[in-house]
Structure formats: structure tokens, C-alpha cells
Amino acid sequence: MSVVTYEIKDEIGIISVNYPPVNALSVHVRTGIKESIETARTDASRAVLIVCDGRTFIAGADITEFGKPPMSPSLPEVLATIEKSQKPVIAAMHGTALGGGLETALACHYRCALSSAMVGLPEVKLGLLPGGGGTQRVPRLTGVESALNMIISGNPVPAAQALEMGLVDRIFDDNLLQNAMAYAKELVDKNAPLRRVRDITIEPSSIPDGFFENYRTQTTKRYRGLLAPQNIISCVQAAVDLPMDEGLARERELFMELMTSTQSAALRHMFFAERTSAKVNGLPKDTPVKQILSVGIIGGGTMGGGIAMNFANAGIPVCILEVNEEALQRGMDIVAKNYGITVKKGKLSEKAAQSRKALITGTLDYNDLKDKDLIIEAVFENLELKKQIFAKLDSICKKGAILATNTSYQDVNQIAASTKRPEDVIGLHFFSPANVMRLLEVVRADKTSDEVLATAMALAKKIKKVPALSRVCYGFIGNRMLRFYGRESQLCLIEGSTPEQIDNAMQSFGMAMGPCAVGDLAGLDIGYKAREALTDEQKGEPKTYRIADTLVEMGRLGQKTGAGYYTYDPATRQRVSDPKVMEVVEKVAKDLGITRRKIDDQEIVNRLIFALINEGIKILEEGIAQRPSDIDVVYVFGYGFPAYVGGPMHYADTVGLKKVYDTICTFRDQHGEAYWKPAALLEKLARENKTLEQWAAQQA
Ligand code: 3H9
């Protein structure tokens, strides 16, 4: 069946796009639209309507075509054909008219939409800019500042706002096709002019002096390290300074520059990685999914409270169980405080916050959990305690309830074995703050049933999380890898760096925060307590933790005590370097017989990131993660890894596995095999000159 059809109805030529799932502008869609417009030139139609079947108007260019040889006709060619039409062309939008989709509508002479529609230019989220005239047409319609805000944020706006901004001319509440046809007739009946956006000029004197320079300065600060926002500003400036065709040529040039950048390749990789991670290899498509209409949470601490908010936000009632009134009240207060912050930021109305809070109740009685569809245990990391809780849940909860643990490290198989229904047990590892962080590590234990797994994946989507599947191992995907990243930051510190140098090097690489600052934020006592439970052998060599332990023993637990690797101004929480920390570092190094040396930033980045990569590849070898892109999802959505670098596995491919392998071998020669044994799969792929992406494609 053709993806674009054309017919005349009541004197209106109707171009219908039908290319599920999102009517992306593939070569077939582009060809179909262009040919239909050409047909309409000489036929009996008086106006032409572009509409889409299915759930949405065109949601953009077909991203799967990016990075491949271009196929004619290009989008700019198609849009030029639409714009030149001598009969009015009207776009009728519903769903999400995004990117090239909105640009198609902007090349039309008139635009109408359903009131439920959203329109936007999200290209920046793929490291790109609107390459179909969006940067030239939007400012002509909305004004420069509004256009910049829309294109640089990439966030879509509702139809009503688009109407106010001048992007849409008419809105209907329902019956899009019927109303759009009536609108088209109205236009031809009154002989409405062919309104081409290109004919609008932006008066340069209307732009305040220094506007673009100031906007660029703010953007550089806000979008640290990103290329696309900078190119977008240049394009919008061209819309003011240059005639339309020259502006379009400038847009094309800067679009192509981004298209070939590693940033866009990484962001496009993340777009598909995010969508693929919800898919479980080998799980039949028709696996039944349980309904989750009520949730119980054991533990009302920061984590339990944050988890509860996710469900309340999705309209699912939650009951938090605590050990006493005081702890319960503390948990409820944390929830109330978090909602208060969201309201204060203007992201939620007071009324909505109240109704969400009303969905969260508390109890001290396990019996109140007996009818819940899902129970999530979120108590502190103690395997014995967790096993006791699960044994109790087993005796209380209704048949078929899902019993989940939010453990970050513990053996989910052992937890499941403490029940008589291990098939109903799963790990749901949320990341702190749980109401904000988008990652959900779903841990599949050996006996977890397909139904429970499928339900967990579907539920993640419902509560707006990005799931990544992990098998059971100590720390699962994320925390298992993080240990090696943490180890290298400790070693760089003791061998010659400072906390500032390490944090600055990692931030320049793109991490949201460096490891020392993260340690201070989370609390250095967490790692300390975890190490207390380990044998000396499990803890590893003292040089990998002695500095952190000494700081804790000095009462420097991080931000909460006003001091850790840094000291913190109590009022502003601003961090300041503290010479006492370097005294500790130097003393510990001396005590352990380590002669400190100068370490450069590149060595820091390579040691921390390559340690992550090596462990990530071991995780793939062992089948703990399903695919490299799932590991990238874990790191980008859970650990502040820069999306524009694409996660550690994509970054390894960008650097080249041979180079990663050779560097790890050099580290092995310098620091010993105990720390730097290259993963066998890394060695194999490096020798074969292959990428992890190619390896993943072979496995699929
Ligand atoms: C652009 O337009 C450049 C132009 O300016 C210039 C060109 C010269 N292409 O997200 P979902 C797939 S750049 C190909 O789960 P939802 C997606 O992979 C583009 N495939 O659904 C998934 O596949 P699968 C600017 C696409 O309802 C399936 O559709 N536009 C595309 O949660 C369902 O997706 C954008 O950046 C695409 N453009 O959300 C919009 N879009 O089922 C990107 C989706 O195999 N898209 N797929 O996993 C979105 O934001 C969301 O998909 C949307 C629907 C909001 C549309």
C-alpha cells in the first residue's frame, strides 16, 4: 500500500500520509507528497490539504535515514515544491507535528490543528537543527527571541500557544478532516492570498543592540559543551541578516555540519537506545501484563518516599509502610516537601500536588499490604533484613502480587528464595532522587516469570521511567561498573591529583558532576558503611579507599556535615577547596609508600572512563546486560553521563576499540593486571577491528 495517497473531494485535493508509527518523512513519504503537489498543479482541485492518518501528523524526518547516503527528493526540495504551489496548500495537524513535520506545515500557505495537537522543533535533542527551513520560517512568524527559545529548548508547544505565537492559523476541537476541508473552502471562496512565510522580512532595527551576543553568552553557559544551540543561533541570526534563499543555504550548511558531528551521532544513538531498552530479547510479544492498580512500599525514607511519588504522579494509589509513627511522619514530610518544591518551581499546580499527595497513605501494619498488586521493598542495604521482609510478604500478600526489591547491590536470587513464589520476585532499582531520575534498572532473577518481567517493563513506561534490564550480579549494571570508576578516582587522587582537578577534568568531559563532588553529595559514610561489611580481601588495596575512610573518620561525611572532599558554605552550599583535605591525601600517600606525581587531565579521563568501559564489556560478555546500548541508557539516565557523548559503550566505539584496548594494555603494564585486565570481548573486537554496535547487531 502506498504511504501517501491523493484524491479530490468536494474540490479539495487531499494528500494523506499513512506511514506508521509516526508518519516520519522517509524517502517514500517525501516522494509521495512531492508527486501529489505536482499532480494538483493541473487537476480540478481548488486547494490542497496535507493530513495524516494514525496517531499523529508527521513527527519529523526519518531518523533511521540519517548517516546514510541521501535519497532524492530531499526535504528542502519537497518543501520548495509545496511553497511554490499556485493553489493554497493547507496543513491539518493532529498529535505531534515535530521537526520536519512542523517544517512541512510551515512551507504550506495556511496551517490548522486540533486543539490537542502539539507542535515543536526537537532537532536540538538529536544534536541537530531544523534543516527544513524551520530556523528561517519560525522567527519570521513568531519573532526572533520566541523562535530561539522554542528551537533551542526543543520543547513542543500546545496548539493554543502555537496559535498565539502565529505558527497556526486556526484550531478545531474535533473532526479535523471535516473542519480542515471547510477551512480550505473558506480560503478559496474568499480568494485568500498564497501566504508564503518567506515573504515576511524581519526588520533588523527591531532587534536590540547586542541581542545575539547576549543570547549566545547565556546559551553557552546553559548548554555547556553543546554544538547545536550555537549553530541554531547563527541560523536565526541569518534569518534577520540574509534574504530567505541565502538564509536557507546557511541553515543547510550548519545542519550538515551537525549531522556529521560525533555529538549528533551520540544523541541519535541515545534516541534509539532509550526506545530499545524497554524490549526484552526472547520475551514473546503476547506475554500477558498484570494490572497494577495499587502499590505498597516498605520504607518511607528518601528513597521510599521518592518511589511513592512516581506512582502517585501516574494516578496509582500508594501505601507506605514504616516501623513507627515518627519514621512514617518523616517520610510523609519528605514527600510533602518535594511536592512543595515542584509547585514553587511552577511545574505543578497546588491543586494537582494536593490530589497526588492524597494518593499516598501510610501504615504501620503489614496487613494493609495484603491486597496490593505490587509491593516494593526500599529498606537499607542488609540482605538478612530483606530476606526476612520477603518471607513476611510471602505469608501476607495476595496470590499473583509482584514482590519487588529496590536493592542497589544485593542478590535478588537469594531474596526470591526466601519466598515460596520466586517467580513473582523482581528487582526494581530506582535512582536517587527517585522522583526525578529517569532510570529504572529492572533486575531479572533466575526464576522471575515472563509475566512479571513484562509487567515491570510496561509499568516503567507508565511511571515515565526508562527501564534497563539487568541480570543478577553485585551492583547490577550501574553500580558494578561504578566501583571501577570510583577506584580510579581514588587512585588518581592518591597518586598525584586533587579533588578539584579530578572533578574539573570529568566535568569538562561532560559528566554532570565529578566523582568527589558526587561523593560529598551522596554522603561519604555510605561507602564507608558498605566497606565495613566487607572482608579485607573484598575491600581491595587500602590505596583505593583509605583517603575516603580517613575523611569519614574525621567527621567529614560530605555536604550534610558541611565538609567532605571540599568544605561547603552553609548558606549557599557553594564548595570551597580545603587544604586539610590535601594534608590527608599527602599523609595517606606517604603512609602507603606512594610517591605523588603530576597527572594530566587526559589521564584522569581515560582511567575513569576506560575503567567503566572495560567493566561494561565484561558485563556484556557475561550476559548481565542484553546489549551495549542498555548500558549507555543506564549511564546517561542514571549517572549523569553526557548524552552527547552517548554513554560509555557508544563512546568506546567513537574512540575506537583498538585504541581503548591499547590504552588499557598500557595501564595494565603500569598498574598491574589486578586492576587492568582487558575484557576478552574487547580484545577480540579490537583485533577484528569491529565496533560494539556491530557486535550487538550480530547478536540480535
Ligand atoms: C528532523 O526532522 C530534521 C529536519 O529538521 C530536517 C531534515 C532535513 N524517525 O517514541 P515512541 C519510532 S529530525 C524514525 O516510542 P511515542 C521510534 O523509534 C526529527 N523513527 O512513541 C519507535 O520505534 P520502535 C525530529 C521514529 O508515542 C516508534 O517510532 N523529530 C521517529 O512515545 C514509536 O516512537 C523528532 O525528533 C522518527 N522521526 O512518541 C521526533 N520518531 O517502536 C522524534 C519515532 O521500533 N520522535 N520513531 O521502537 C518522538 O519524539 C516520539 O517518537 C513521538 C511519539 C513524540 C513522535
Side-chain angles (χ1 to χ4, degrees):
M1 199 193 118
S2 173
V3 296
V4 178
T5 56
Y6 177 71
E7 61 175 335
I8 302 178
K9 248 191 197 168
D10 293 341
E11 299 182 307
I12 307 294
I14 302 171
I15 301 176
S16 301
V17 181
N18 185 1
Y19 186 56
V22 297
N23 290 316
L25 284 161
S26 70
V27 65
H28 306 294
V29 173
R30 298 196 301 271
T31 308
I33 296 177
K34 185 165 181 276
E35 285 176 1
S36 303
I37 295 279
E38 282 161 355
T39 306
R41 255 186 220 155
T42 50
D43 69 14
S45 64
R46 297 174 66 207
V48 181
L49 211 54
I50 303 182
V51 291
C52 291
D53 289 346
R55 60 176 163 170
T56 182
F57 190 75
I58 300 163
D62 186 342
I63 307 169
T64 59
E65 285 183 3
F66 290 174
K68 296 181 186 156
M71 283 175 285
S72 216
S74 69
L75 183 61
E77 274 175 62
V78 178
L79 302 191
T81 310
I82 294 174
E83 195 176 47
K84 278 188 201 137
S85 163
Q86 293 305 315
K87 294 176 184 174
V89 184
I90 301 123
M93 298 178 275
H94 74 290
T96 42
L98 300 177
L102 178 59
E103 291 174 300
T104 302
L106 293 172
C108 296
H109 307 109
Y110 293 89
R111 288 158 288 284
C112 59
L114 277 185
S115 53
S116 55
M118 303 282 287
V119 309
L121 295 169
E123 286 86 344
V124 72
K125 297 184 182 181
L126 299 169
L128 296 171
L129 55 80
T135 66
Q136 305 305 296
R137 291 193 178 93
V138 175
R140 282 176 161 80
L141 287 169
T142 69
V144 163
E145 187 164 6
S146 190
L148 279 170
N149 293 344
M150 180 181 191
I151 306 173
I152 289 184
S153 74
N155 294 332
V157 298
Q161 193 180 335
L163 182 75
E164 269 173 38
M165 291 168 77
L167 293 171
V168 170
D169 305 302
R170 188 70 70 91
I171 288 186
F172 315 113
D173 283 333
D174 47 22
N175 295 331
L176 181 64
L177 182 58
Q178 203 181 327
N179 281 316
M181 282 183 67
Y183 180 45
K185 272 201 194 141
E186 178 191 319
L187 290 168
V188 281
D189 285 349
K190 69 177 181 198
N191 233 342
L194 292 172
R195 248 185 19 186
R196 296 187 174 102
V197 180
R198 66 159 51 235
D199 296 336
I200 303 169
T201 44
I202 305 170
E203 186 45 58
S205 63
S206 67
I207 314 293
D209 278 351
F211 171 82
F212 282 107
E213 290 73 14
N214 291 340
Y215 203 96
R216 202 178 276 284
T217 309
Q218 283 167 23
T219 304
T220 309
K221 257 194 232 153
R222 183 149 180 212
Y223 299 96
R224 187 169 53 96
L226 291 176
L227 301 174
Q230 300 295 336
N231 282 15
I232 289 168
I233 297 174
S234 304
C235 286
V236 173
Q237 191 158 8
V240 179
D241 295 343
L242 303 175
M244 183 75 176
D245 287 330
E246 286 175 40
L248 286 175
R250 180 89 178 114
E251 180 190 84
R252 191 76 189 154
E253 182 194 342
L254 293 176
F255 174 81
M256 291 314 292
E257 186 180 298
L258 294 174
M259 180 60 98
T260 49
S261 69
T262 54
Q263 285 192 0
S264 177
L267 288 163
R268 276 153 26 213
H269 163 77
M270 286 315 300
F271 177 85
F272 290 113
E274 181 182 341
R275 282 154 182 84
T276 310
S277 74
K279 295 172 187 158
V280 180
N281 291 339
L283 195 72
K285 270 215 160 70
D286 56 357
T287 306
V289 172
K290 292 171 189 261
Q291 273 215 319
I292 304 296
L293 301 175
S294 60
V295 176
I297 293 177
I298 301 175
T302 316
M303 204 63 199
I307 296 173
M309 289 174 73
N310 288 297
F311 291 99
N313 294 346
I316 302 173
V318 203
C319 178
I320 299 179
L321 179 130
E322 255 301 349
V323 284
N324 57 45
E325 280 294 351
E326 200 192 335
L328 189 57
Q329 193 51 51
R330 215 176 23 240
M332 293 300 201
D333 290 347
I334 294 174
V335 169
K337 190 175 148 210
N338 283 341
Y339 275 123
I341 294 171
T342 319
V343 170
K344 219 171 171 181
K345 282 187 184 158
K347 290 186 177 166
L348 191 69
S349 72
E350 182 58 44
K351 196 167 160 231
Q354 289 302 341
S355 59
R356 290 180 190 191
K357 265 191 288 182
L359 287 172
I360 305 178
T361 52
T363 184
L364 304 178
D365 184 356
Y366 264 88
N367 280 315
D368 287 338
L369 304 184
K370 70 175 194 298
D371 293 324
K372 304 294 176 213
D373 297 322
L374 163 70
I375 294 100
I376 303 174
E377 163 276 308
V379 304
F380 59 90
E381 290 294 342
N382 178 311
L383 183 59
E384 283 317 307
L385 175 65
K386 287 180 191 283
K387 280 160 74 174
Q388 281 167 23
I389 291 174
F390 273 74
K392 189 154 189 171
L393 290 175
D394 191 21
S395 67
I396 289 167
C397 295
K398 70 176 181 188
K399 193 168 167 274
I402 298 180
L403 309 182
T405 170
N406 174 51
T407 181
S408 319
Y409 289 98
Q410 306 296 343
D411 184 339
V412 185
N413 285 325
Q414 283 197 49
I415 295 173
S418 64
T419 73
K420 287 192 242 19
R421 41 172 131 173
E423 65 283 1
D424 291 337
V425 177
I426 194 163
L428 292 180
H429 180 206
F430 290 81
F431 286 71
S432 190
N435 53 317
V436 177
M437 297 297 285
R438 294 200 53 217
L439 178 65
L440 179 66
E441 248 180 348
V442 175
V443 185
R444 177 186 203 167
D446 291 349
K447 294 190 177 158
T448 307
S449 73
D450 283 358
E451 195 177 348
V452 167
L453 188 56
T455 306
M457 291 314 221
L459 186 66
K461 188 160 187 185
K462 185 152 192 196
I463 60 171
K464 299 200 166 67
K465 297 285 174 199
V466 185
L469 185 64
S470 175
R471 288 277 187 182
V472 176
C473 66
Y474 187 72
F476 317 122
I477 297 172
N479 282 342
R480 169 167 159 184
M481 287 167 67
L482 194 70
R483 284 179 67 202
F484 299 88
Y485 175 88
R487 178 198 73 199
E488 285 308 308
S489 83
Q490 287 295 304
L491 289 175
C492 286
L493 189 56
I494 203 161
E495 287 171 25
S497 320
T498 62
E500 295 78 359
Q501 190 198 2
I502 294 173
D503 284 348
N504 291 340
M506 297 318 293
Q507 265 191 287
S508 301
F509 173 77
M511 298 301 287
M513 285 170 93
C516 300
V518 168
D520 277 356
L521 181 69
L524 301 181
D525 51 323
I526 297 179
Y528 186 86
K529 279 190 199 135
R531 280 190 292 279
E532 273 182 330
L534 301 176
T535 60
D536 279 353
E537 201 193 349
Q538 285 169 327
K539 279 207 269 189
E541 286 192 283
K543 64 181 177 181
T544 61
Y545 60 82
R546 183 64 61 76
I547 295 170
D549 278 7
T550 310
L551 293 175
V552 172
E553 282 155 13
M554 290 164 72
R556 302 182 69 110
L557 309 187
Q559 284 196 20
K560 60 186 163 192
T561 56
Y565 286 105
Y566 303 92
T567 43
Y568 293 85
D569 182 316
T572 60
R573 286 200 170 183
Q574 203 70 22
R575 71 179 193 219
V576 191
S577 309
D578 186 342
K580 282 199 205 104
V581 173
M582 287 316 294
E583 281 169 25
V584 170
V585 171
E586 275 157 21
K587 177 162 186 317
V588 174
K590 195 162 166 236
D591 291 350
L592 296 175
I594 294 166
T595 310
R596 285 170 54 78
R597 64 184 169 91
K598 192 171 163 10
I599 295 185
D600 66 31
D601 290 359
Q602 191 58 54
E603 179 179 340
I604 293 172
V605 171
N606 282 354
R607 284 176 65 176
L608 271 66
I609 300 294
F610 288 10
L612 275 183
I613 293 172
N614 201 35
E615 197 59 23
I617 297 180
K618 288 181 186 170
I619 280 174
L620 287 171
E621 272 167 24
E622 293 168 25
I624 298 292
Q626 298 190 98
R627 40 183 101 86
S629 63
D630 285 4
I631 297 180
D632 292 333
V633 160
V634 167
Y635 265 79
V636 169
F637 291 101
Y639 293 84
F641 201 98
Y644 65 82
V645 178
M649 299 294 103
H650 179 82
Y651 178 65
D653 278 350
T654 309
V655 172
L657 295 187
K658 167 99 176 63
K659 192 164 170 201
V660 173
Y661 174 72
D662 288 346
T663 311
I664 288 179
C665 290
T666 309
F667 291 154
R668 178 193 56 200
D669 298 344
Q670 288 166 348
H671 305 280
E673 188 154 82
Y675 290 167
W676 288 102
K677 187 172 171 17
L681 179 62
L682 171 63
E683 183 174 351
K684 178 176 175 295
L685 295 177
R687 286 197 199 295
E688 291 171 0
N689 204 14
K690 286 207 173 116
T691 62
L692 284 162
E693 196 179 329
Q694 287 166 337
W695 174 79
Q698 276 170 2
Q699 309 294 307

